[in-house]
Amino acid sequence: GVGLRDALLKINANEYPFGLVVILAGTNDLGLAFQMNQGVAGSAAAVSDSVIELLKIAHEEGVPTLAISIPESGFQHKVPDAKAIAIKANEAIEKWCMDNCDKSSYVEFPFGWSIDDSRWSSDGLHLSEEGYFELAKGIAPIVYMNGRSFVH
């Protein structure tokens, strides 16, 4: 009873169904893939495959999607392979969205990472309250336009 499909089924059964699912994979996903020691290509495939599976689930339940690229992080700046995994995973996710553009869109994360940026928490991985606000501001017009273009 926990997961994207269950949430979509429960909410879509109500009077106000989802109009758009927004997927943002993050550094936690990269960390797990990095620990699998499958090399850059294998780890990137593991991350992108899991994100694409979520996109497919939403589509199977009749909900269009917006995928946001994996954002930069302190982890990626310290570990070059992690950054390479993120780049390759983002490329695969973007390609899949382009191949399924009738149901899915892709957008780059709206800002980068730096050590002194108050939009990031002190752990270098997660957004601060200000960062979440900036993310929302950055994607709001895209969410609005995508939600309108997919709604019939």
Side-chain angles (χ1 to χ4, degrees):
V2 177
L4 178 60
R5 187 179 312 275
D6 291 319
L8 291 173
L9 290 171
K10 287 175 187 171
I11 300 295
N12 280 343
N14 293 329
E15 188 175 339
Y16 302 104
F18 279 103
L20 183 70
V21 168
V22 179
I23 303 288
L24 169 63
T27 302
N28 293 341
D29 304 284
L30 287 178
L32 292 174
F34 189 76
Q35 291 173 356
M36 295 187 311
N37 289 326
Q38 296 179 332
V40 170
S43 296
V47 171
S48 61
D49 288 351
S50 66
V51 172
I52 290 167
E53 195 58 37
L54 290 172
L55 299 170
K56 287 178 181 178
I57 288 169
H59 296 174
E60 288 167 6
E61 298 306 324
V63 184
T65 56
L66 173 65
I68 303 172
S69 69
I70 300 167
E72 293 181 17
S73 68
F75 176 59
Q76 291 176 46
H77 282 264
K78 291 178 184 173
V79 181
D81 279 354
K83 185 168 184 82
I85 292 166
I87 291 168
K88 285 193 174 298
N90 282 336
E91 289 170 353
I93 295 164
E94 181 177 22
K95 181 184 182 321
W96 190 90
C97 289
M98 294 296 291
D99 291 345
N100 294 276
C101 62
D102 59 322
K103 298 177 193 166
S104 199
S105 292
Y106 177 87
V107 64
E108 291 289 331
F109 192 84
F111 56 89
W113 179 89
S114 69
I115 196 164
D116 296 327
D117 191 335
S118 62
R119 296 175 292 188
W120 295 94
S121 68
S122 59
D123 68 5
L125 300 175
H126 300 96
L127 296 173
S128 66
E129 185 176 339
E130 179 185 349
Y132 281 112
F133 181 75
E134 286 296 315
L135 171 60
K137 276 186 6 185
I139 68 167
I142 298 160
V143 168
Y144 177 76
M145 292 308 296
N146 278 284
R148 287 177 44 111
S149 67
F150 288 124
V151 173
H152 300 294

